[in-house]
Amino acid sequence: MITNLTDKQKINWVRILAILAVLVLMVYAPKLWLTTKVFPVIPLFDWLPIPIYPFDYILAGFFFLIQIVYIFQNKRWQGWTILGVYLFLALVDQNRLQPYFYQSFLTIFAIEIFNRKANPRKILYAIILIFFATYFWSGIQKLNEAFYIQWLSAINKHFSFLPQWFLVAFTYAVPWLEALMGVLLLFNKTRKFGVVFILLMHSTITFLLFYLGYGYNVVPWNIQNMLSVIIIFWTLKTSNAFEFFLQFFNTQKLAILVFTMMLPLANNLTGFYDNLLSFHFFTADLKYYIVYLDEELEENLPEHIQDFYRTYEGKTYISVTEWSQHDNKVLFYPEDRAIEYLDTYLRSFATNPAKEGLTQLVNYNQIIKK
């Protein structure tokens, strides 16, 4: 039974689910893992060597195949190789730092950071911190005005038959409800309620994605989390709520706490550390841009970019999100450095790339908020 597993079996199944979700998404978005494509890669550092054809195909193929081998052989060196290749690929193109990939590989990291002789419960508690952080921080990060505006607008569009007071109350409750899901997982008496709520949330999201006809890239992630929380939490018993954080405290536990608690807290308080890596999932305050073009640049850009020209009040712009979703099948990485790199790339097609007014970057979510 999926709910009657030993700690070691739970770890193994969660590991397999994490890799399977990545493999499905790699098949869904193959161009994301290549550099020989029309959408530019966005490296974190300019000095990084960017693989070109055929080496980008070879590296992507190796990355895909070693994950399949890892599912069946489960060797520690395979896990570390997968993590190393992913880190390199993500540094070469930050658009690969999508939340579903990040969670999966953080899970593999939490497993492989311990040696094979370690107490399985140590490893399981490290993985649990990832799932707690996923729901807790995703809720906390939604406590912003942009989320309330976008969420209320969306549910008004699809559920206008419900009383307005209820829609408003539900909108403002959503962040707290999601954060509560993570908290419920900490206590024996509430753990199964937490699992049920998480299952309801993910199943509702999955249904709506198919109903609305977009966002299929997050479906495997939703299914992965649904199965994982059942496997991990349904029969789990602990002595107290702080056991996950304090018991088996060592260097490995500290490393996981850095990624699941300290860095997300720093992001929430100061903006330090990337938003998506701090569990900013569907929070509506991420920096998604449209780029307005002047007439000179509009004429000079290649045809494959011109396919994404749109107009507003007589001005031509490119929706970076639309362009990225078409080519990479994922959203553009929402950090300032990424859009600035893309802006430089677009301006490079002008006769004078340094000319003022060639482009105008506008944060789409900021417009909605205003």
Side-chain angles (χ1 to χ4, degrees), residues 293-319:
L293 310 170
D294 85 340
E295 292 181 0
E296 176 194 345
L297 189 57
E298 181 184 344
E299 294 176 358
N300 288 352
L301 288 178
E303 288 187 11
H304 66 264
I305 299 179
Q306 293 186 23
D307 289 339
F308 298 97
Y309 283 1
R310 304 292 179 263
T311 58
Y312 177 72
E313 295 183 346
K315 296 180 65 177
T316 299
Y317 71 90
I318 298 171
S319 169

Side-chain angles (χ1 to χ4, degrees), residues 186-206:
L186 300 179
F187 301 91
N188 285 335
K189 292 183 178 180
T190 61
R191 193 164 292 135
K192 288 186 177 180
F193 289 107
V195 171
V196 171
F197 289 150
I198 289 170
L199 293 178
L200 286 172
M201 180 183 72
H202 283 301
S203 58
T204 301
I205 291 171
T206 302

